[in-house]
C-alpha cells in the first residue's frame, strides 16, 4: 500500500479554489508549483516531471491541476501511476468550469483579461506586476508604459467570482485595475465543477486526458 | 570615428533607447551603410532579445523596452535605407489569428523580415481567417506569416491554409507559422511550408526555403 490514494500536482494559481474543495482529506496529497512557471512552458515541463517522479513513489494516482498550458504538460510521463490531466487549454478554463463557458465568454467579450483571487494575491494582476516586478527591473515610467503596451488590445478586465472569502476586496482590486488602465470592468460567475472533479473525480474522457504508465502525454490529446 | 556595431546590438538588448538613437544617427553621419547598421547592429540585438526571453533571462517589460528601442532606431534608419533595400527580398503579410491578441512575438518577427529586406504588411491581431485570405489576394505576398500564442487559437492557422487553397492562391506563397505553442509537428499536420521557433531563425529558414525552390 502506498501512502496516498491520489496526489494532485497543481499550479499555485488554483490554490484557493482547490483547497476549498479538498477539505483536508488524509488520503489525498496536494502539491503546488510556482505560478511563475507559466512564463516559461519548457521549464514547466521539466519541473513538473521532477515533481511527478518524486511523488509517484508515494501514491497510486497522479492528477494534474493544469491544462495544456502552452505545451507545458505535453511530453510528461509517470512510471507506475500514469497521469490524469484536465483536457483544457489553461487555468482560465478551470475557474470557469469548462471549455464551453470559456469559449462562450471568449466570443461574447473579446479581448478580456481575466483575474481571480490567486492572480491578485500572487500579484500577477497588471497593477501588481507593475508595482512588484516591472518597476524593479525598468523603473516606474517604463513599467507602466510596458504594461499599457501589453494590454493595449484589451477591452475588459474581468473578475471571475468563485465565491471565495474577501470577495469584495478582489472585486475592488479588479475594478482598480480596469480604471487605471482604462478598460471596462466585468464580472463573471465562476464554477467549481471542474476543480471539484480534479480532486473527487470521476475522470471522464470528455474532461480528462489519460496517460498510461510510461507513455508520454501529447499535445494532440488535448486538441481534438 | 566609426561606430561599433556591437555597441548598437548591445544598446538594443539593454533597451537603451536614447543611446541607440544617438549611435544610429552617428553611424549614419560617419557614412556607415544603413543596411549594415540594420543587419549587423539592430537585428542581431533583437535576435538576442528573443533568445534571452526564451531562456528566462529577460522579462516582459525589458522585451518591450527593446522593441521600442528597435522601432525608434528604425524611424531614423528607414528613410535612409535605399529603395533597393526595402522590399528587395519580396513581400510579406503577417498577422495574429482570430481570437488571439498577442502581438509582441509577431511584431518582432515582422521587424526581422523587414530587416532582411522584405516589405512587411502587418495586418494586426485578432484577424479573422478571411482577412488573411483577402490580404493574400490583394498584396500577393511571397511569404504569409501567421502567429498564435494560444492553443485555443492555433487551429485557425490550418483553417486559413484551407481557405487559401479554396481561393486557389495557396501555391503562390510560402506560409510560415510561429508562436510559443506551435511545433514543427503541428506545422506539418496543417500543411504550412515553414515553422520557426524564433524570429531570427525564421528569416534564415525562409531564405533557405526559397533557395531550394
Ligand atoms: C505577454 C503575454 C501576454 C500579454 C500579451 C501582450 C501582447 N501585447 O502581446 C497579456 C498579459 C495581455 C496576455 C493575455 C493573455 N494571455 Co498570455 N502570455 C504572455 C506570455 C507571458 C508571453 C508571450 C510573449 O509575448 N512572448 C514574447 C515573445 C517575444 O515571444 P513569442 O510570442 O513566443 O514570439 C517569438 C516566437 O514564438 C516567434 N514568433 C511568434 N509569432 C510568430 C509568427 C511568425 C510568422 C514567425 C515566423 C515567428 C513567430 O518569434 C518571436 C520572437 O522570437 C505567454 C507565455 C509564453 N511564455 O509564451 C502567455 C500565454 C501565451 N498567455 C496565456 C493566456 C492564458 C492568456 C490570457 C487568456 C490570460 C488572461 N488572464 O486573460 C490572455 C489571452 C488574451 C487573448 N485572447 O489573446 C497562456 C496561453 C495558454 C493557452 N491557452 O494556450 C500563456 C502560454 C501563459 C500560460 N502558460 O498560461 N498574455
Amino acid at each position: 500500500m502506498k501512502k496516498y490514494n491520489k496526489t494532485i500536482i497543481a499550479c499555485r494559481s488554483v490554490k484557493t479554489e482547490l483547497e476549498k474543495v479538498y477539505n483536508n482529506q488524509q488520503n489525498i496529497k496536494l502539491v503546488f508549483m510556482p505560478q511563475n512557471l507559466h512564463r516559461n512552458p519548457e521549464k514547466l515541463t521539466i519541473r513538473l516531471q521532477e515533481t511527478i517522479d518524486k511523488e509517484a513513489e508515494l501514491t497510486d494516482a497522479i492528477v494534474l491541476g493544469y491544462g495544456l498550458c502552452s505545451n507545458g504538460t505535453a511530453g510528461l510521463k509517470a512510471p507506475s501511476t500514469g497521469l490524469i490531466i484536465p483536457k483544457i487549454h489553461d487555468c482560465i478554463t478551470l475557474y470557469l468550469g469548462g471549455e464551453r463557458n470559456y469559449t462562450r465568454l471568449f466570443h461574447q467579450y473579446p479581448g478580456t483579461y481575466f483575474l481571480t483571487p490567486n492572480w491578485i494575491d500572487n500579484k500577477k494582476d497588471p497593477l501588481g506586476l507593475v508595482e512588484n516586478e516591472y518597476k524593479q527591473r525598468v523603473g516606474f515610467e517604463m513599467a507602466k508604459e510596458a504594461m499599457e503596451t501589453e494590454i493595449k488590445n484589451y477591452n475588459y478586465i474581468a473578475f471571475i467570482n468563485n465565491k471565495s472569502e474577501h470577495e469584495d476586496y478582489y472585486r475592488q482590486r479588479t475594478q482598480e485595475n480596469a480604471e487605471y488602465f482604462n478598460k471596462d470592468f466585468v464580472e463573471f460567475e465562476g464554477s467549481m465543477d471542474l476543480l471539484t472533479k480534479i480532486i473527487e473525480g470521476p475522470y471522464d474522457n470528455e474532461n480528462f486526458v489519460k496517460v498510461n504508465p510510461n507513455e508520454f502525454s501529447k499535445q494532440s490529446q488535448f486538441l481534438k | 570615428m566609426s561606430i561599433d556595431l556591437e555597441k548598437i546590438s548591445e544598446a538594443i538588448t539593454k533597451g537603451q533607447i536614447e543611446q541607440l538613437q544617438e549611435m544610429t544617427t552617428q553611424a549614419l553621419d560617419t557614412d556607415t551603410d544603413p543596411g549594415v547598421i540594420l543587419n549587423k547592429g539592430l537585428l542581431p540585438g533583437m535576435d538576442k532579445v528573443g533568445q534571452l526571453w526564451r531562456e528566462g533571462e529577460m522579462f516582459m517589460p525589458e522585451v518591450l523596452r527593446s522593441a521600442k528601442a528597435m522601432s525608434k532606431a528604425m524611424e531614423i534608419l528607414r528613410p535612409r535605407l535605399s529603395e533597393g533595400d526595402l522590399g528587395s527580398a519580396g513581400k510579406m503579410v503577417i498577422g495574429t489569428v482570430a481570437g488571439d491578441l498577442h502581438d509582441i512575438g509577431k511584431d518582432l518577427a515582422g521587424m526581422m523580415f523587414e530587416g532582411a529586406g522584405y516589405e512587411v504588411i502587418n495586418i494586426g491581431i485578432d484577424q479573422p481567417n478571411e482577412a488573411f485570405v483577402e490580404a493574400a489576394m490583394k498584396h500577393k505576398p511571397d511569404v504569409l506569416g501567421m502567429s498564435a500564442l494560444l492553443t485555443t487559437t492555433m487551429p485557425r492557422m490550418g483553417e486559413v491554409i484551407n481557405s487559401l487553397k479554396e481561393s486557389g492562391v495557396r501555391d503562390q506563397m510560402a506560409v510560415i507559422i510561429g508562436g510559443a505553442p506551435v511545433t514543427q509537428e503541428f506545422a506539418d499536420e496543417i500543411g504550412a511550408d515553414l515553422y520557426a521557433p524564433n524570429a531570427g531563425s525564421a528569416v534564415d529558414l525562409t531564405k533557405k526555403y526559397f533557395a531550394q525552390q
Side-chain angles (χ1 to χ4, degrees):
Chain A
M1 265 278 294
K2 289 194 183 164
K3 198 161 170 206
Y4 302 102
N5 295 354
K6 215 187 281 185
T7 297
I8 320 279
I9 303 173
C11 178
R12 279 253 329 244
S13 70
V14 288
K15 189 164 187 271
T16 313
E17 286 85 354
L18 278 184
E19 278 175 348
K20 209 159 94 182
V21 206
Y22 170 55
N23 254 327
N24 284 317
Q25 301 171 53
Q26 294 304 315
N27 51 352
I28 301 179
K29 181 176 181 190
L30 282 187
V31 182
F32 290 103
M33 311 278 291
Q35 184 172 356
N36 261 352
L37 291 173
H38 102 132
R39 274 199 57 232
N40 194 332
E42 285 150 42
K43 224 199 244 160
L44 175 60
T45 314
I46 297 170
R47 290 288 306 277
L48 271 175
Q49 188 61 60
E50 288 168 6
T51 311
I52 289 168
D53 290 342
K54 203 171 88 200
E55 297 299 333
E57 320 246 313
L58 307 170
T59 191
D60 294 326
I62 295 182
V63 187
L64 299 189
Y66 278 96
L68 176 56
C69 298
S70 204
N71 301 330
T73 59
L76 292 174
K77 75 169 178 186
S80 53
T81 56
L83 287 169
I84 300 171
I85 315 174
K87 195 187 272 184
I88 57 171
H89 290 275
D90 52 56
C91 59
I92 310 295
T93 323
L94 283 179
Y95 309 121
L96 293 170
E99 212 68 80
R100 200 169 303 143
N101 213 4
Y102 191 10
T103 312
R104 183 176 61 82
L105 294 176
F106 208 81
H107 290 290
Q108 208 172 342
Y109 294 92
T112 299
Y113 195 110
F114 296 99
L115 293 181
T116 67
N118 282 300
W119 279 69
I120 291 170
D121 286 343
N122 297 336
K123 305 196 166 29
K124 301 293 172 202
D125 58 315
L127 274 174
L129 281 168
V130 168
E131 286 160 8
N132 294 285
E133 239 179 79
Y134 288 19
K135 195 174 75 183
Q136 286 73 355
R137 300 190 74 97
V138 297
F140 179 73
E141 279 310 313
M142 188 62 217
K144 180 166 170 254
E145 190 186 325
M147 184 51 75
E148 281 164 357
T149 313
E150 250 187 78
I151 62 177
K152 68 171 185 294
N153 302 320
Y154 287 75
N155 306 314
Y156 305 96
I157 299 188
F159 171 49
I160 305 182
N161 187 349
N162 269 332
K163 307 276 181 264
S164 60
E165 259 180 87
H166 312 302
E167 179 187 318
D168 292 337
Y169 163 73
Y170 296 117
R171 176 179 299 110
Q172 204 188 327
R173 179 70 177 170
T174 309
Q175 277 165 340
E176 204 183 317
N177 268 285
E179 226 159 84
Y180 192 88
F181 292 104
N182 232 332
K183 311 288 172 189
D184 287 333
F185 166 85
V186 266
E187 177 163 338
F188 301 128
E189 202 177 318
S191 158
M192 300 296 282
D193 289 0
L194 206 49
L195 289 153
T196 310
K197 272 192 184 172
I198 288 181
I199 297 208
E200 307 280 346
Y203 304 109
D204 53 288
N205 288 327
E206 194 192 328
N207 289 300
F208 293 91
V209 167
K210 313 267 178 58
V211 187
N212 294 327
N214 281 318
E215 284 177 16
F216 284 100
S217 56
K218 289 198 292 280
Q219 183 191 63
S220 56
Q221 291 178 286
F222 292 81
L223 298 180
K224 55 113 219 188
Chain B
M1 194 201 78
S2 76
I3 282 282
D4 187 347
L5 292 165
E6 264 173 43
K7 286 252 162 61
I8 290 193
S9 296
E10 206 182 295
I12 285 254
T13 316
K14 292 195 173 150
Q16 298 165 327
I17 300 173
E18 275 151 36
Q19 286 97 315
L20 180 67
Q21 285 173 306
E22 266 163 41
M23 281 193 269
T24 309
T25 311
Q26 220 178 329
L28 285 172
D29 289 347
T30 51
D31 289 328
T32 313
D33 181 74
V36 171
I37 300 176
L38 180 60
N39 285 304
K40 301 266 155 69
L42 300 180
L43 293 178
M46 226 42 223
D47 200 19
K48 187 90 202 255
V49 171
Q51 211 180 312
L52 289 173
W53 158 263
R54 264 186 108 81
E55 290 164 7
E57 298 286 323
M58 268 175 96
F59 283 60
M60 212 56 223
E62 292 150 327
V63 172
L64 287 167
R65 188 174 56 185
S66 293
K68 184 175 172 186
M70 170 83 187
S71 65
K72 289 281 178 198
M74 278 305 284
E75 278 171 25
I76 300 171
L77 216 53
R78 199 174 281 117
R80 299 284 293 275
L81 286 164
S82 60
E83 294 283 318
D85 286 333
L86 279 179
S88 60
K91 237 192 228 181
M92 171 188 225
V93 165
I94 191 168
T96 304
V97 297
D100 203 319
L101 308 179
H102 295 83
D103 64 1
I104 298 163
K106 167 196 60 106
D107 289 348
L108 286 189
M111 282 182 201
M112 296 303 261
F113 275 90
E114 189 172 353
Y118 280 83
E119 180 193 342
V120 174
I121 300 144
N122 191 333
I123 62 172
I125 49 146
D126 192 14
Q127 289 299 314
N129 298 352
E130 310 83 67
F132 280 97
V133 179
E134 271 162 35
M137 314 247 293
K138 179 165 162 218
H139 300 292
K140 307 200 171 11
D142 304 275
V143 185
L144 177 76
M146 288 187 272
S147 181
L149 264 289
L150 301 169
T151 45
T152 32
T153 58
M154 259 168 49
R156 300 295 88 71
M157 305 206 267
E159 293 164 16
V160 169
I161 290 179
N162 287 338
S163 306
L164 290 172
K165 280 185 195 149
E166 281 160 25
S167 311
V169 294
R170 171 68 185 88
D171 297 335
Q172 293 162 27
M173 63 201 70
V175 174
I176 181 164
I177 64 173
V182 180
T183 59
Q184 184 64 55
E185 191 188 345
F186 181 78
D188 294 341
E189 203 178 294
I190 65 168
D193 299 303
L194 290 159
Y195 155 73
N198 60 60
S201 66
V203 170
D204 295 339
L205 287 166
T206 308
K207 279 187 190 152
K208 226 182 263 163
Y209 174 83
F210 282 121
Q212 283 165 1
Q213 291 294 297

